[in-house]
Amino acid sequence: MGKTVAVKYKIAGGVALSLCLAFIAVQMVRFGSQLPSADNSEERADNRVKRDATRQLVDSVSEPEALSLHGRLNLAKELVDNGEVDEAADALEQIIEEDPGNIRALLEISLIELLDRGRPQEALPHLIKALKVDPSNDHLLGEVADIYVETGQFSAGLKFFSKLREHVPNTPAINLRMGQILFYKGSYKKALMALNASNLSSRYDGQATSIRARIYLHLGKVEKSLKEYQLAEDKMERRIRAAMVAGETSDFLVKWLETMQIEMAEGLIEKNLYREAENVLYRLSEKIPSDPEVIKLMDLAKLGLQDNAG
């Protein structure tokens, strides 16, 4: 109660100040007088006082209660950007408690767990909740699949995506993610079946082809692998360019392409195919020349070529 009264007095003071200034301005015009000029800094300070008073008046008559969920979400994002992660997480938890299907809040808190706290297992439940709201969301599907792969939970991941496919059977992106998990599990033939289960369309064809390229390399079908790799690289680069032109985010596509190139180079080096590995790495080093993994693999490829030459 006391705080409310204080705010009202403060607002009243701001209004009084504004009225006084307006009165002085009128008198100046009426009598042709002129106040001494002030420098720009004083003028800016004066404008700030007026602006703050006006804002307080507006705030006092519009939604004096808590901020909207959207406004609170933006504040939580600002807290994250300022490094106040715990405070942001608390704010996001409150938003989710009030609005359990708020995808943006679920994604933000999952990113806190992934990026700031390094706890992918804690991020997973939030992403799964978001997927229940939007089961065909490419970004969410990718994040969930990546976590299952990175944490080695292949069986759990396949079970989750199988159930999800029952609810949304005509979602090609789910087949793509199942193929991804099966590949990293080492179930190469099943992965190929998942990738070929339906027409993935041009939207996912580059990603599917990139997985097939690595599968064929693991199966020892080098020539077929290299052909698929070239196709995948071309398709992925076209898709990235198209996304950039359309103003869409392409970060996850760039990451996918770079991962494919690194894993192809690793596989080729393991098979003593150093020249082929060097060709792959050369393209990659043009984009990320300082990447430690790329530098290490390039050194291995060059060393292998030297040994072969010797």
Side-chain angles (χ1 to χ4, degrees):
M1 182 68 179
K3 185 177 181 181
T4 303
V5 172
V7 171
K8 289 181 177 177
Y9 275 115
K10 185 177 181 182
I11 293 171
V15 173
L17 174 61
S18 297
L19 291 173
C20 288
L21 291 170
F23 177 77
I24 291 171
V26 170
Q27 296 305 312
M28 287 169 56
V29 173
R30 287 181 60 189
F31 297 108
S33 60
Q34 184 175 1
L35 291 174
S37 61
D39 60 24
N40 290 335
S41 61
E42 291 178 346
E43 183 179 354
R44 285 196 298 270
D46 187 46
N47 287 339
R48 186 162 57 248
V49 171
K50 295 176 185 177
R51 186 175 290 111
D52 288 343
T54 303
R55 285 171 178 167
Q56 288 174 8
L57 282 171
V58 172
D59 291 342
S60 67
V61 296
S62 63
E63 296 189 12
E65 66 276 2
L67 284 172
S68 65
L69 288 179
H70 180 73
R72 287 157 59 191
L73 179 59
N74 286 335
L75 285 176
K77 291 178 180 178
E78 289 182 14
L79 288 171
V80 172
D81 294 340
N82 292 330
E84 300 176 69
V85 175
D86 293 337
E87 292 82 354
D90 291 340
L92 291 166
E93 289 284 7
Q94 291 177 6
I95 293 173
I96 293 167
E97 185 176 347
E98 296 175 34
D99 182 13
N102 192 309
I103 291 181
R104 289 181 176 84
L106 290 166
L107 182 59
E108 282 294 327
I109 199 165
S110 70
L111 290 174
I112 287 175
E113 297 294 352
L114 279 171
L115 304 178
D116 300 293
R117 294 174 173 170
R119 303 190 303 187
Q121 193 62 38
E122 300 297 326
L124 195 55
H126 298 297
L127 291 169
I128 289 174
K129 287 178 184 177
L131 267 180
K132 288 179 180 178
V133 180
D134 187 4
S136 60
N137 187 297
D138 283 352
H139 183 74
L140 294 174
L141 288 168
E143 291 287 354
V144 170
D146 287 346
I147 290 176
Y148 277 126
V149 168
E150 290 168 9
T151 58
Q153 300 180 79
F154 304 116
S155 297
L158 292 170
K159 183 178 179 180
F160 169 77
F161 279 104
S162 295
K163 286 186 176 180
L164 190 63
R165 187 167 57 180
E166 292 175 5
H167 295 289
V168 278
N170 297 319
T171 306
I174 294 177
N175 287 332
L176 172 67
R177 298 305 174 177
M178 291 188 72
Q180 175 189 357
I181 294 173
L182 285 164
F183 162 64
Y184 284 107
K185 185 183 179 184
S187 302
Y188 302 129
K189 292 183 179 180
K190 289 183 178 180
L192 288 173
M193 290 175 61
L195 294 171
N196 297 329
S198 65
N199 181 13
L200 291 174
S201 77
S202 59
R203 183 173 181 82
Y204 308 105
D205 193 33
Q207 291 165 282
T209 304
S210 75
I211 296 175
R212 283 194 290 265
R214 285 169 281 175
I215 288 174
Y216 291 135
L217 186 60
H218 282 282
L219 293 175
K221 300 179 180 180
V222 177
E223 186 175 348
K224 193 170 186 178
S225 171
L226 291 173
K227 182 183 288 188
E228 289 288 294
Y229 166 76
Q230 191 59 58
L231 283 173
E233 189 177 61
D234 292 342
K235 291 175 180 177
M236 289 294 297
E237 288 180 347
R238 283 202 302 271
R239 171 106 188 268
I240 291 168
R241 286 196 295 271
M244 294 175 67
V245 169
E248 300 173 356
T249 180
S250 60
D251 291 351
F252 75 99
L253 293 172
V254 172
K255 178 185 174 184
W256 185 291
L257 176 59
E258 291 174 355
T259 298
M260 175 193 70
Q261 292 170 317
I262 287 174
E263 291 183 354
M264 277 295 295
E266 288 174 338
L268 290 166
I269 289 172
E270 287 176 4
K271 294 185 179 301
N272 299 325
L273 299 170
Y274 303 113
R275 180 65 66 192
E276 291 82 354
E278 190 179 48
N279 291 337
V280 171
L281 291 165
Y282 178 75
R283 293 288 301 276
L284 186 56
S285 65
E286 291 180 329
K287 295 181 289 185
I288 46 175
S290 302
D291 185 87
E293 187 69 15
V294 174
I295 293 172
K296 183 186 78 172
L297 291 172
M298 185 67 85
D299 289 342
L300 287 173
K302 289 178 179 179
L303 184 61
L305 286 171
Q306 292 173 3
D307 291 342
N308 287 347

